């Protein structure tokens, strides 16, 4: 067990439906410490860069359009086993497969508009945190 970080984004669909308060509450109640956070809107270039691993997937253009259509909340979260525990907390990509009580089971409407992002590895968490935040904005990492 080690204290590490993950990067989350509350996606445009979650903010459109005013779910950000409930989702952040579930995150902090589950033992994650917010060590950086901002409300921001991704440009097309930002979304293409953030999701570049998916650039050849059939859903890529729709994903970029969705992720840029309104503001998001980006945050860095710290916890023991942050990446793995956060993926458990958010649930499967497709809300139909997401376990009872997970954030996606409660707030996602489809496999594309699925409320929230969570990093899938420590390496990607570091890359994604640096994508959104400067070192000075990440309180645990100074
Ligand atoms: N996505 C989609 N259709 C798919 C798979 C993924 O629109 O068939 C979107 C969805 O918003 C997802 C994001 O692309 O969260 C990134 O996909 P990934 O497979 O990395 O899922 P995640 O890691 O977010 O669970
Ligand atoms: Mg992913």
């Amino acid at each position: 067990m080690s204290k590490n970080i993950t990067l989350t984004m509350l996606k445009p669909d979650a903010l459109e439906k005013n779910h950000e308060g409930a989702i952040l509450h579930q995150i902090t109640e589950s033992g994650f410490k917010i060590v950086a956070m901002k409300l921001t809107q991704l440009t097309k270039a930002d979304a293409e860069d953030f999701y570049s691993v998916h650039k050849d997937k059939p859903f890529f253009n729709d994903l970029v359009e969705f992720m840029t259509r309104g503001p998001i909340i980006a945050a860095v979260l710290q916890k023991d086993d942050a990446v793995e525990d956060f993926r458990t907390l958010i649930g499967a990509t497709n809300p139909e497969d997401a376990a009872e009580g997970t954030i996606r089971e409660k707030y996602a409407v489809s496999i594309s508009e699925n409320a929230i992002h969570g990093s899938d590895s420590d390496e990607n968490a570091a890359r994604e945190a640096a994508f959104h935040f400067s070192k000075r904005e990440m309180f645990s990492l100074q």
Side-chain angles (χ1 to χ4, degrees), residues 1 6 21 24 27 44 85 132 138:
M1 296 260 285
T6 193
L24 289 170
I27 290 170
K44 186 167 183 279
D85 288 1
H132 282 291
M138 291 189 271

Side-chain angles (χ1 to χ4, degrees), residues 51 53-54 87 93 104 117-120 128:
Y51 283 111
V53 67
H54 294 306
R87 295 291 302 203
T93 309
R104 283 169 166 169
H117 169 82
S119 308
D120 64 5
E128 293 171 1

Side-chain angles (χ1 to χ4, degrees), residues 13-25:
D13 61 321
L15 274 67
E16 285 160 9
K17 290 179 279 185
N18 299 323
H19 287 150
E20 62 270 34
I23 293 172
L24 289 170
H25 186 247

Side-chain angles (χ1 to χ4, degrees), residues 28-130:
T28 53
E29 286 296 296
S30 301
F32 293 86
K33 182 84 184 160
I34 297 170
V35 296
M37 186 162 71
K38 72 171 80 168
L39 179 76
T40 186
Q41 184 160 359
L42 297 177
T43 65
K44 186 167 183 279
D46 290 333
E48 287 173 349
D49 184 0
F50 188 91
Y51 283 111
S52 59
V53 67
H54 294 306
K55 67 180 185 319
D56 297 325
K57 304 270 176 61
F59 58 81
F60 183 69
N61 288 342
D62 287 345
L63 175 61
V64 169
E65 193 167 322
F66 163 54
M67 286 302 297
T68 57
R69 80 177 185 210
I72 63 162
I73 290 174
V76 180
L77 307 172
Q78 192 171 39
K79 187 186 177 295
D80 293 338
D81 301 320
V83 166
E84 186 184 350
D85 288 1
F86 196 68
R87 295 291 302 203
T88 302
L89 180 67
I90 69 177
T93 309
N94 186 343
E96 287 181 17
D97 302 328
E100 179 91 35
T102 59
I103 292 171
R104 283 169 166 169
E105 186 268 330
K106 292 202 276 187
Y107 302 109
V109 293
S110 69
I111 193 169
S112 48
E113 302 205 5
N114 59 3
I116 191 160
H117 169 82
S119 308
D120 64 5
S121 67
D122 289 342
E123 188 187 1
N124 283 336
R127 179 183 89 86
E128 293 171 1

